[in-house]
Amino acid sequence: MKKSLFVLFAIFTLHSCAELQEVVNSLPQQGGVLSNADIASGLRQALDLGIEKQVTKLTQTDGFYKNELVKILLPAELQKVDKGLRDIGLGNLADEGLKVLNRAAEDAVKEATPIFVNAVKEITFADAKNILLGTDDAATQYLTSKTKTSLYDKFHPVINTSFAKVGADQIWQNLINRYNAIPFTSNVNPDLTDYVTEEALKGVYTMIAVEEKEIRNKVGSRTTELLRKVFALQD
């Protein structure tokens, strides 16, 4: 099947989508030939599964904070704040500061699903064939290109509001004031809302990529007949 995949790719670079479909049709498939619509639907199913299984986890309490793949740490310019506080016995305060950053991201990700659903619906056969022949995170890259701007615009105000709701603004004001009071330190004042927004986006795409890789590389993760047929093309 690997050989068939390379043949499929080579012919696509030289010929039309109709000819590409001829090659797809010639590949042995259980249960019959795959149509253009089948391939696109299979990719949509894979992304929907990633959104349902992985993105939903991020919206739960500790979805970010206790997931080492996506846990939001302090920005580089505040690493010294964290260390400085821990050095003088204020580790609990530093931990609380980290927690509220992650809570804000968990709140924001609840806004993601409708945007993802719309992007997934728009996948065409042209998109699907490129995704199918692409890298282990090709579908995630597609979703990133289609949703990142919209998600940023949704996440940013939610994170800003969440900071106020959970008291992050007061916590960080206290943190930074305590740090700035330590002798021989330089004052810091980063834009934490933008930073956490960007980190939340990275976390979302990281978890979708995890599920995509599972589906591509583990037959047992292909939980529908259509997923099994479509991803057999890239085995």
Side-chain angles (χ1 to χ4, degrees), residues 1 12 29 43-44 52 65 70 77 79 83 98 110 122 129 137 144 154 158 161 173 203 210 217 228:
M1 191 57 72
F12 168 68
Q29 294 295 316
L43 268 297
R44 292 188 195 105
E52 179 183 350
Y65 188 64
V70 298
E77 62 269 30
Q79 292 290 338
K83 184 178 184 304
L98 282 179
K110 294 171 185 174
E122 293 173 1
K129 65 175 176 358
D137 66 344
T144 302
K154 280 283 187 182
V158 173
T161 300
Q173 184 177 1
V210 165
N217 294 291
R228 287 188 283 274

Side-chain angles (χ1 to χ4, degrees), residues 80-120:
K80 56 187 178 181
V81 176
D82 185 85
K83 184 178 184 304
L85 291 170
R86 295 182 192 281
D87 286 347
I88 61 171
L90 293 175
N92 288 340
L93 187 60
D95 287 339
E96 188 61 26
L98 282 179
K99 189 175 290 186
V100 294
L101 300 186
N102 286 271
R103 289 287 181 270
E106 291 155 13
D107 275 351
V109 173
K110 294 171 185 174
E111 301 291 322
T113 299
I115 293 171
F116 281 141
V117 167
N118 288 336
V120 170

Side-chain angles (χ1 to χ4, degrees), residues 185-220:
T185 59
S186 303
N187 289 359
V188 291
N189 186 26
D191 181 353
L192 281 176
T193 301
D194 176 71
Y195 171 75
V196 173
T197 300
E198 291 288 353
E199 291 299 297
L201 289 170
K202 288 179 190 176
V204 166
Y205 297 125
T206 293
M207 296 312 298
I208 292 174
V210 165
E211 189 64 27
E212 179 183 357
K213 187 174 181 179
E214 285 281 308
I215 291 171
R216 285 184 182 272
N217 294 291
K218 295 183 180 179
V219 174

Side-chain angles (χ1 to χ4, degrees), residues 14-71:
L14 298 173
H15 299 287
S16 68
C17 284
E19 289 167 312
L20 172 64
Q21 183 58 40
E22 240 177 79
V23 178
V24 171
N25 291 347
S26 73
L27 296 175
Q29 294 295 316
Q30 292 181 349
V33 168
L34 288 177
S35 68
N36 293 356
D38 288 334
I39 293 173
S41 293
L43 268 297
R44 292 188 195 105
Q45 272 192 17
L47 281 171
D48 283 339
L49 193 59
I51 293 164
E52 179 183 350
K53 286 183 65 177
Q54 300 297 345
V55 176
T56 302
K57 291 178 184 177
L58 296 178
T59 68
Q60 299 168 3
T61 300
D62 291 329
F64 274 84
Y65 188 64
K66 291 188 177 178
N67 182 340
E68 292 303 318
L69 281 177
V70 298
K71 182 178 180 179

Side-chain angles (χ1 to χ4, degrees), residues 162-179:
S162 181
F163 276 173
K165 181 178 74 176
V166 301
D169 42 1
Q170 287 83 14
I171 289 170
W172 274 100
Q173 184 177 1
N174 186 27
L175 271 168
I176 293 171
N177 287 343
R178 293 291 293 271
Y179 173 77

